[in-house]
Amino acid sequence: MRVLVAGATGVVGQPLVGALRERGHRVSALVREGSRERAPEADEVVVADALDREALSAAVAAARPEVVVHQLTALRLLRDDPAGAFAQTARLRTEGTAHLVEAARAAGARRLVAQSIAFAAAPAGGPVLDEDAPLYTDAPDPGWAATVRAVAELERLVLGAQDLAGVVLRYGTLYGAGTAYARTGGTAQRVRAGRFPLPEGGAGVTSFLHVDDAVAAAVPAVESHVTGVFHVTDDEPAPAAQWLPHYARTLGGPPPRTVPADLAPRLLGWFTAHQLTTARGAANDRARTVLGWKPSRPTWRDGLGAE
Ligand SMILES: NC(=O)c1ccc[n+]([C@@H]2O[C@H](COP(=O)([O-])OP(=O)(O)OC[C@H]3O[C@@H](n4cnc5c(N)ncnc54)[C@H](OP(=O)(O)O)[C@@H]3O)[C@@H](O)[C@H]2O)c1
C-alpha cells in the first residue's frame, strides 16, 4: 500500500517508516524543511509544516497515500520548554490534525492512524481503565486540561472524518531509546539526580510501552480494516511505589525519597504529581483482541531504564 507517515523523524515515526517498508509498503516520509537531513530512508520524502494548511495539502496530494499515519507531536521540546512543548503539541493535535484529515481526504486516502496517549483518563473508578473511561478534560490544572481537550479533539477529528476509516492508538508512557525515560532522557536525569521523589503511598498507576511496541502496533493499524480507539500499553500497569524505585535502581540512582503527597505538585509539577498519586493505568485487551497486537515487552520490569 501507499502509506504516508507524518512525523517521520520522530521517536516512533522514524522506525515506523522502516517497519512499513519491510512489510512491502511504499512509504512517503513527511518532514519539515529544517528536518530534511534527519529524514529516514523512505521511498519518497515530502516536505511541509503540518500547521501550514496549503503546504501540507500539496505535500499529501503529491504522495497520493492510501493510508496516512499521524505521529506529530512537539514533545521533544519538553526538557527545554515544557509550556511551549505542550502548547505546540496541542496545536498539532487540533489544527495539525484538522489539516491532515482534510489533506488525506482530498488526496483520496481511505484510512488514518493517529497517535494519542493512554494517560488522559479522569482518575475515577478502578486502578486500570478501558478505552471507554471519560477523559480528564476538567482536570484542575489548566495546562493538563488544555492538553486533554486537545487529545479529545484529535480523537474526534480522526474518528469522525467522513470517508476515512480512523484508528486512534493511545500509547502508554513511552520508554526506550529517544524517550524521556531513556538513560539519557530528561526523566532519567531527574531520577538519577534524586530530584524525582515518591509521594507517600505512590498509588498513581502508569502503563508503560516500549517504543518498539508502539511501532509494532502501528503496523496492523495501517494494514487492517478495524477502526476505533485502542490502548497500546504493556501488560503490567504499575503503581509508582513499584516502578519508581525499580527505575531508580536500574539507572544507578539513589532510592527516591518519600515526600508528603500534598507537597508533590510543588516539588514535581502538577502532572507528575498526578501521575504518581492518582493516575489510572490503561488496559490493552481491546488492542489484543480487535487489533491483533500484543506487546513484545509485556512488562516494564525487563527494560525500563536499561537503555
Ligand atoms: N505516550 C508517551 O509517553 C509519549 C507520547 C508522545 C511523546 N512522548 C515523548 O515525546 C518524545 C518524542 O516522542 P514522539 O515520537 O511523539 O515525538 P518526536 O520524536 O518529537 O516526533 C514528533 C514528530 O513530529 C514532527 N513535527 C513536530 N512539529 C511539526 C510540524 N509543525 N509539522 C510537521 N512535523 C512536525 C517532528 O518533526 P521535526 O523533526 O521536524 O521536529 C517529529 O517527526 C519522547 O521523549 C517521548 O518520551 C511520550
Side-chain angles (χ1 to χ4, degrees):
M1 277 185 302
R2 299 175 67 92
V3 185
L4 176 132
V5 176
T9 54
V11 168
V12 179
Q14 176 120 16
L16 178 59
V17 169
L20 289 169
R21 294 183 81 216
E22 268 172 34
R23 298 276 303 167
H25 301 298
R26 184 187 185 285
V27 184
S28 303
L30 178 87
V31 302
R32 290 193 281 186
E33 184 62 51
S35 308
R36 263 183 196 266
E37 74 279 7
R38 289 188 289 108
E41 201 168 311
D43 296 291
E44 171 188 51
V45 173
V46 290
V47 178
D49 189 306
L51 297 175
D52 180 336
R53 183 168 167 257
E54 276 76 40
L56 186 69
S57 171
V60 177
R64 292 186 293 111
E66 296 163 85
V67 184
V68 171
V69 183
H70 175 347
Q71 295 283 355
L72 300 165
T73 78
L75 294 172
R76 194 185 293 162
L77 306 172
L78 262 182
R79 196 188 317 195
D80 300 325
D81 176 14
F86 282 120
Q88 187 72 0
T89 298
R91 281 193 70 193
L92 287 166
R93 286 178 173 144
T94 53
E95 288 168 61
T97 303
H99 295 164
L100 201 53
V101 166
E102 187 186 354
R105 291 184 62 214
R110 52 177 177 71
R111 193 165 178 75
L112 175 61
V113 176
Q115 170 189 148
S116 182
I117 52 175
F119 41 87
V128 180
L129 304 174
D130 68 18
E131 290 85 347
D132 298 330
L135 297 180
Y136 207 6
T137 49
D138 60 350
D141 178 70
W144 189 244
T147 290
V148 177
R149 283 198 292 269
V151 163
E153 175 66 0
L154 172 144
E155 296 190 353
R156 190 189 69 79
L157 288 166
V158 171
L159 299 175
Q162 256 187 340
D163 310 325
L164 267 184
V167 180
V168 169
L169 300 177
R170 288 187 183 162
Y171 290 150
T173 297
L174 292 171
Y175 70 97
T179 71
Y181 285 78
R183 294 183 72 84
T184 52
T187 305
Q189 289 182 1
R190 286 170 70 192
V191 170
R192 220 184 276 111
R195 287 190 286 105
F196 208 96
L198 181 64
E200 220 158 21
V205 178
T206 296
S207 281
F208 286 101
L209 180 71
H210 192 279
V211 147
D212 290 352
D213 278 326
V215 173
V219 174
V222 164
E223 293 177 349
S224 80
H225 295 285
V226 303
T227 57
V229 181
F230 299 92
H231 285 162
V232 179
T233 52
D234 80 5
D235 292 339
E236 200 181 336
Q242 284 179 18
W243 71 258
L244 183 53
H246 182 283
Y247 180 47
R249 209 166 36 247
T250 308
L251 291 172
R257 73 197 150 89
T258 304
V259 296
D262 56 348
L263 288 185
R266 192 151 56 78
L267 295 171
L268 288 155
W270 187 88
F271 174 74
T272 304
H274 160 69
Q275 179 191 6
L276 303 185
T277 59
T278 54
R280 304 303 203 257
N284 65 16
D285 306 64
R286 191 183 290 177
R288 283 173 164 274
T289 54
V290 181
L291 194 58
W293 166 88
K294 65 177 188 318
S296 67
R297 317 248 189 160
T299 169
W300 51 271
R301 288 179 191 278
D302 294 338
L304 182 66
E307 56 184 309

